[in-house]
């Protein structure tokens, strides 16, 4: 069998933060660069900018291009390699809309109303009513994944229900239609979750999220990281420097777990518990380690920011490649469904 394909995507919300990095981006880059024992890539990778999906919650498109470029620069800075992974906007590959339409016939509205991710969103955003397209969010996502015949979908936990719906749609299509040569047109994709898929916000209350204002951006300078870290929530019972703390409930320690290496981590844990390490020093160290990891990203970001034509070309090329793959899949779909047939067995 050929190489497995990974398809993942993000909505263009502008500059990315550490939560995007640990929850998705870092994992994308790892899979992109993963080699087997023969030195061949394990996965083909495609990364999508879900600009149509943005419309489900906001009709304002004025900033969408800026947000797209800001996000794309973060992808590139974090190691997404456009030579290996085409990057493209959903809206620039018309097959997304086409397959979405067909898929919308393969799933009931009651199934979509039961989508837990949607219910959570309705509750969190206090939405009183839904637009029709928002109900269909996972159907469009299924089209995103299956147009590229994605086998593996690296996503955060909240997206698992969408991958499950994608599998159901693929199954339904394959049960109903068969291509004369390839047989089953679609694979049933598997989700792949990262270990650090939920990074808590600096306020310690929820996940890191731009709308909650509790983020560290990938583009934050060391000074900005230090400043933000000073306000991070720790163990509220550790009031004085020498009070013993509880790392297991401390936001800053959860960042150390990700950004501070083995032995140092053990020292920090012991120091916090015994009270020999105060929060101020602990935070300083944490901020330093985060900035150490971000330093190469910031440097690469600067390079792309001063070479914006390069970024635009990367997008154009990615979209050309995506159109080629998507066009091919749509031909198979039409052929399996006998849509647009021109040779008839009867005398029409
Ligand atoms: N719904 C995803 C999110 O909000 C973004 C997305 C759109 C996506 N299409 C996709 C993710 C296809 C994986 C595969 O995070």
């Amino acid at each position: 069998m050929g190489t497995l394909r990974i398809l993942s995507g993000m909505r263009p919300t502008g500059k990315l933060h550490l939560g995007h990095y640990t929850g998705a981006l870092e994992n994308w880059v790892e899979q992109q660069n993963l080699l087997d024992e023969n030195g061949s890539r394990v996965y083909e990778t495609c990364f999508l900018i879900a600009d149509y999906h943005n419309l489900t919650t906001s009709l304002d498109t004025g900033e969408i291009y800026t947000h797209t470029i800001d996000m794309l620069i973060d992808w590139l800075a974090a190691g997404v390699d456009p030579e290996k992974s085409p990057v493209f906007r959903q809206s620039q590959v018309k097959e997304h809309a086409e397959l979405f339409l067909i898929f919308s016939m393969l799933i009931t509205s009651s199934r979509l109303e039961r989508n837990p991710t949607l219910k959570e969103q309705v509750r969190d955003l206090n939405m009183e009513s839904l637009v029709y397209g928002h109900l269909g969010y996972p159907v469009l996502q299924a089209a995103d994944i299956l147009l590229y015949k994605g086998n593996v979908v690296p996503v955060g936990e909240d997206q698992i229900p969408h991958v499950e719906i994608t599998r159901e749609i693929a199954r339904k299509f394959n049960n109903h239609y068969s291509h004369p040569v390839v047989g089953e047109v679609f694979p049933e994709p598997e989700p792949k979750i990262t270990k650090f898929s939920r990074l808590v916000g600096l306020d310690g209350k929820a996940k890191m999220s731009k709308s909650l204002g509790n983020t560290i951006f990938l583009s934050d300078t060391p000074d900005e990281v230090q400043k933000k870290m000073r306000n991070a929530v720790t163990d509220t019972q550790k009031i004085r420097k020498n009070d013993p703390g509880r790392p297991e409930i401390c936001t800053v320690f959860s960042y150390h777990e990700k950004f501070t290496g083995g032995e140092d981590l053990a020292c920090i844990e012991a120091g916090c518990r015994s009270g020999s390490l105060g929060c101020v020093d602990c935070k300083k160290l944490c901020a330093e380690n985060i900035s150490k990891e971000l330093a190469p990203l910031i440097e690469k970001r600067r390079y792309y920011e001063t070479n914006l034509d390069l970024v635009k070309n990367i997008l154009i090329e990615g979209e050309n490649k995506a159109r080629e793959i998507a066009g091919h899949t749509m031909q198979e779909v039409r052929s399996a469904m006998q849509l647009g047939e021109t040779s008839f067995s009867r005398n029409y």
Side-chain angles (χ1 to χ4, degrees):
M1 293 305 288
T3 321
L4 291 172
R5 186 172 283 149
I6 280 185
L7 183 294
S8 198
M10 287 184 200
R11 285 182 292 160
T13 49
K15 288 187 180 181
L16 300 181
H17 54 68
L18 280 182
H20 293 116
Y21 182 67
T22 60
L25 201 47
E26 196 183 28
N27 190 242
W28 289 8
V29 173
E30 196 181 315
Q31 308 307 322
Q32 167 195 270
N33 296 331
L34 196 64
L35 300 178
D36 65 16
E37 62 273 19
N38 303 318
S40 314
R41 288 174 66 202
V42 176
Y43 298 112
E44 275 181 27
T45 36
C46 303
F47 300 123
L48 156 133
I49 297 164
D51 50 359
Y52 277 149
H53 272 124
N54 250 27
L55 299 173
T56 59
T57 48
S58 166
L59 293 177
D60 297 335
T61 48
E63 296 229 68
I64 207 149
Y65 187 61
T66 323
H67 283 169
T68 296
I69 296 296
D70 264 332
M71 183 171 83
L72 181 54
I73 290 179
D74 278 332
W75 287 6
L76 298 168
V80 167
D81 176 353
E83 295 287 321
K84 294 179 182 162
S85 316
V87 289
F88 53 95
R89 288 166 293 184
Q90 199 178 35
S91 65
Q92 300 309 301
V93 183
K94 64 178 173 28
E95 284 81 2
H96 287 260
E98 228 178 330
L99 192 58
F100 169 59
L101 183 150
I102 293 172
F103 281 177
S104 70
M105 313 297 170
L106 302 181
I107 187 151
T108 63
S109 39
S110 63
R111 173 69 183 91
L112 294 171
E113 278 155 12
R114 274 187 277 122
N115 169 17
T117 304
L118 181 70
K119 284 188 185 164
E120 218 173 274
Q121 213 168 25
V122 168
R123 198 188 48 217
D124 291 352
L125 302 177
N126 280 326
M127 299 174 77
E128 274 162 23
S129 60
L130 276 187
V131 291
Y132 168 61
H134 197 166
L135 186 64
Y137 188 112
V139 184
L140 180 57
Q141 189 161 342
D144 296 342
I145 298 168
L146 294 175
L147 263 182
Y148 305 91
K149 302 197 184 193
N151 308 93
V152 177
V153 188
V155 279
E157 264 166 53
D158 63 320
Q159 297 296 310
I160 302 286
H162 295 168
V163 182
E164 185 49 43
I165 290 173
T166 303
R167 292 168 61 85
E168 290 172 25
I169 290 176
R171 221 174 296 146
K172 181 93 185 224
F173 186 95
N174 290 338
N175 283 339
H176 222 86
Y177 304 107
S178 170
H179 186 274
V181 181
V182 299
E184 289 193 346
V185 175
F186 296 118
E188 276 185 45
E190 304 275 351
K192 191 182 182 83
I193 315 181
T194 14
K195 191 164 146 226
F196 286 96
S197 61
R198 278 210 182 213
L199 204 63
V200 279
L202 287 162
D203 54 6
K205 282 191 192 125
K207 68 173 181 175
M208 212 177 250
S209 147
K210 195 170 169 177
S211 56
L212 297 171
N214 60 7
T215 63
I216 293 175
F217 290 105
L218 300 184
S219 46
D220 280 347
T221 62
D223 279 352
E224 284 166 327
V225 177
Q226 286 287 358
K227 206 153 101 204
K228 286 184 175 177
M229 191 61 74
R230 253 175 258 150
N231 297 323
V233 171
T234 55
D235 178 356
T236 49
Q237 287 178 21
K238 184 170 162 68
I239 298 162
R240 280 178 220 89
K241 179 175 184 283
N242 294 326
D243 289 345
R246 294 167 295 172
E248 65 276 11
I249 60 152
C250 177
T251 307
V252 177
F253 187 74
S254 75
Y255 298 159
H256 273 299
E257 284 184 300
K258 169 69 190 132
F259 296 99
T260 302
E263 251 175 59
D264 289 354
L265 183 68
C267 278
I268 287 161
E269 179 166 10
C272 175
R273 277 192 207 289
S274 72
S276 64
L277 177 67
C279 291
V280 174
D281 290 336
C282 177
K283 283 179 171 182
K284 240 185 222 162
L285 197 65
C286 186
E288 273 169 26
N289 287 343
I290 289 174
S291 290
K292 221 181 277 167
E293 181 132 351
L294 293 183
L297 275 75
I298 290 175
E299 174 124 9
K300 272 177 107 179
R301 169 169 253 285
R302 204 170 301 133
Y303 169 74
Y304 286 112
E305 274 172 347
T306 48
N307 289 283
L308 278 179
D309 281 346
L310 184 67
V311 180
K312 291 176 190 169
N313 276 330
I314 286 171
L315 201 52
I316 290 171
E317 275 177 32
E319 285 164 1
N320 285 337
K321 272 189 224 161
R323 266 183 224 116
E324 213 174 285
I325 305 173
H328 187 258
T329 304
M330 270 319 292
Q331 274 177 8
E332 287 183 1
V333 166
R334 276 190 225 101
S335 170
M337 296 177 79
Q338 294 169 291
L339 293 173
E341 197 108 328
T342 50
S343 63
F344 297 93
S345 51
R346 277 176 283 161
N347 291 329
Y348 287 105

